[in-house]
Amino acid sequence: MKQLNKIKRVAVELICLLYVLLFIYAAVSKLLDFENFQVQLGQSPLLSAFAWWVSGLVPIMELGIVVVLAIPKWRILGLFASLSLMTLFTSYIFIVLNFSAFVPCSCGGILEKMSWNTHLVFNVAFVGLAVVALVWQNQIIIENTRFKIIQPLVKSISIAIVSSVGIMTILFLSSEDLMQRKNPFVRRYIRRSIELVHSVDLKFNSYYFSGYNQGTMYLGNYTDPLRILSIDSSFKAVKGIEIDFKNRNLPFRSVKVLVRGNYFFLIDGSVPRIFKGSIEDWKITEELKGVPNFTLAEPIDSTRIVFRNNTGLGAAHILGIFNSNQSSKVEYLPTLLQKQIDGIFDTDGMLLFNAELGRIVYVYFYRNEIILADKNGTLQQRQHTIDTISNAKIKVAYLKEGSQRKMSAPPAIVNANTATKSNLLFVESKVPGLYEDDAMWKQAAIIDVYNLKKNTYVLSFPIFGVKENKLQSLFVTKTHLYVILGTNLKIYELKDILRKEMINGM
């Protein structure tokens, strides 16, 4: 009996020593690279909303357990604490592997070499060691129990394990709720959500996305507005197309060509004119007459256009719908854009039309709001980007007795380029979130993805290369993301996480 107890004492000492070494290494590693540890927690699917306090609490707990394990009379307490903390870690990995939408980066240090599955086995083994040490330590203290495990110990171990699993589950559910509903400003950066598959040097930086149809991407050119580039699905065949347009004497100032399905629209809001033709022959065959001046326009279908101009109250921005088939061709939508400061700069933004959802989409430049309206302009929902800037941070100067207005200070841009497809909205954000690396923001454009149907934030990813070239525009299809960076057209394949979100969200 004495020999057996001696073996148990040695085993318990070894297990405690293993835990001491593990927790000291883990805590010191976190503290030495605390900023990186905090960033990793901020990107965690379970702990993102709690990263700021969890990042400080975990190494303190680990070092506290080391102290308790080192004191013999507190060893039982230290082993229970070790069991609970290791169960928390094990639950975290299990939930990430089985219930999370994505798997974040691995831990640092030696554990970085482990896969997530290997790490799970490693943690389970340490949970088992803690249980064995608790049982044997208890038997050493109460020697007359022999090989019997007393009931209170079994209950205590069970409570410790179940409580730890429960705490991690609650943190996960709470974090998911905060990330998707309450929107704390913490991004989820998901590696391999997109993959660069091709790049084309366009030679000029005056190109923009005209549209996409049946595997072919069309690019317009601001400096040569009647010439279109088409790029096929192989991303290699680039062909120039000349639009057949006879009436070239109109005082055009800002011509754009928009391809929507089998039609193309040649538009200029300053004239104003909207012409239509077929991409079969690229000939202008019809003019949509009666259109008012506009600063932005998006075709809804072959006869209806949603537009924005400055005919609102006080020359403010206002959205409207032009319908060439109706006698009263223009219907204004005065309640969609909401004034905060001047009605011009504070309501500036990007106008899109999502054909799959049948929704007009307007994203403000200077505040975190997304407006969704149906084809008739009826407001469906006001959603928000994940940043916290709900009021435009701009300063406006009024000149010539209020007849002119200008920005009197550089504005705080919130959202820049946008693109939408199916239920997803891609937004280039200009506002760094918590725990984000300043160096990355100098080299990359950050794209946030939202599910418009579920009204949730999905994930974020960087587009590198903006240090040399400005990101000019985005375009997304069901399979690819197209990006114009300076003179380069880059094509990224959407990986499974985005494709599944696109399918499941419909």
Side-chain angles (χ1 to χ4, degrees), residues 25-164:
Y25 170 77
V28 171
S29 296
K30 293 179 179 73
L31 293 174
L32 288 177
D33 196 9
F34 184 74
E35 185 177 350
N36 185 50
F37 172 58
Q38 198 173 51
V39 168
Q40 288 179 345
L41 282 182
Q43 297 169 6
S44 162
L46 277 70
L47 305 173
S48 52
F50 315 104
W52 68 273
W53 61 266
V54 171
S55 59
L57 182 62
V58 169
I60 291 174
M61 290 176 62
E62 289 172 335
L63 293 176
I65 291 173
V66 167
V67 173
V68 175
L69 285 173
I71 301 174
K73 66 177 182 179
W74 291 354
R75 185 153 291 166
I76 285 284
L77 178 61
L79 286 170
F80 268 111
S82 301
L83 173 64
S84 299
L85 190 59
M86 191 55 67
T87 302
L88 281 170
F89 294 159
T90 306
S91 303
Y92 172 83
I93 296 174
F94 182 81
I95 292 173
V96 164
L97 287 174
N98 293 279
F99 300 102
S100 174
F102 64 96
V103 179
C105 301
S106 60
C107 298
I110 296 173
L111 302 182
E112 186 177 12
K113 306 301 180 184
M114 294 184 185
S115 68
W116 278 92
N117 287 312
T118 304
H119 203 166
L120 180 63
V121 173
F122 177 87
N123 282 18
V124 168
F126 265 83
V127 168
L129 288 174
V131 171
V132 170
L134 277 167
V135 171
W136 285 354
Q137 179 69 13
N138 192 71
Q139 289 177 348
I140 292 168
I141 295 172
I142 311 173
E143 293 187 8
N144 60 1
T145 60
R146 297 180 182 275
F147 299 104
K148 183 179 180 182
I149 303 174
I150 60 174
Q151 194 66 27
L153 179 64
V154 174
K155 186 180 293 185
S156 298
I157 291 174
S158 300
I159 290 173
I161 293 174
V162 171
S163 298
S164 299

Side-chain angles (χ1 to χ4, degrees), residues 77-290:
L77 178 61
L79 286 170
F80 268 111
S82 301
L83 173 64
S84 299
L85 190 59
M86 191 55 67
T87 302
L88 281 170
F89 294 159
T90 306
S91 303
Y92 172 83
I93 296 174
F94 182 81
I95 292 173
V96 164
L97 287 174
N98 293 279
F99 300 102
S100 174
F102 64 96
V103 179
C105 301
S106 60
C107 298
I110 296 173
L111 302 182
E112 186 177 12
K113 306 301 180 184
M114 294 184 185
S115 68
W116 278 92
N117 287 312
T118 304
H119 203 166
L120 180 63
V121 173
F122 177 87
N123 282 18
V124 168
F126 265 83
V127 168
L129 288 174
V131 171
V132 170
L134 277 167
V135 171
W136 285 354
Q137 179 69 13
N138 192 71
Q139 289 177 348
I140 292 168
I141 295 172
I142 311 173
E143 293 187 8
N144 60 1
T145 60
R146 297 180 182 275
F147 299 104
K148 183 179 180 182
I149 303 174
I150 60 174
Q151 194 66 27
L153 179 64
V154 174
K155 186 180 293 185
S156 298
I157 291 174
S158 300
I159 290 173
I161 293 174
V162 171
S163 298
S164 299
V165 172
I167 289 170
M168 186 54 66
T169 302
I170 291 170
L171 284 174
F172 171 57
L173 295 175
S174 299
S175 183
E176 285 294 293
D177 178 68
L178 285 170
M179 286 297 296
Q180 297 195 13
R181 306 295 175 189
K182 299 177 184 177
N183 290 322
F185 194 24
V186 180
R187 283 192 172 88
R188 291 173 168 172
Y189 286 102
I190 313 301
R191 289 193 291 183
R192 294 181 294 275
S193 53
I194 61 170
E195 181 182 358
L196 181 66
V197 293
H198 198 68
S199 181
V200 178
D201 186 358
L202 301 172
K203 307 298 182 184
F204 302 99
N205 62 0
S206 52
Y207 285 99
Y208 61 90
F209 293 112
S210 283
Y212 180 89
N213 186 54
Q214 297 182 356
T216 301
M217 170 61 67
Y218 297 99
L219 301 179
N221 191 322
Y222 289 112
T223 58
D224 191 1
L226 296 180
R227 188 169 179 81
I228 302 296
L229 276 186
S230 71
I231 302 175
D232 70 1
S233 56
S234 70
F235 312 124
K236 295 178 181 178
V238 181
K239 182 174 67 174
I241 300 170
E242 190 76 23
I243 294 175
D244 187 356
F245 181 55
K246 307 301 182 185
N247 193 358
R248 301 192 180 198
N249 296 322
L250 290 170
F252 289 122
R253 287 191 289 175
S254 181
V255 176
K256 284 190 73 173
V257 176
L258 303 177
V259 176
R260 299 295 183 265
N262 293 321
Y263 295 98
F264 73 91
F265 298 82
L266 188 148
I267 69 173
D268 189 330
S270 62
V271 180
R273 289 286 196 278
I274 296 180
F275 298 92
K276 189 175 73 172
S278 171
I279 62 173
E280 295 294 325
D281 55 13
W282 293 95
K283 291 182 178 180
I284 297 291
T285 56
E286 182 183 353
E287 180 181 356
L288 305 184
K289 294 184 178 180

Side-chain angles (χ1 to χ4, degrees), residues 447-464:
I447 309 300
D448 298 328
V449 183
Y450 300 90
N451 189 318
L452 294 176
K453 196 167 183 182
K454 295 180 181 178
N455 188 15
T456 56
Y457 162 67
V458 180
L459 56 83
S460 299
F461 56 83
I463 298 289
F464 288 96

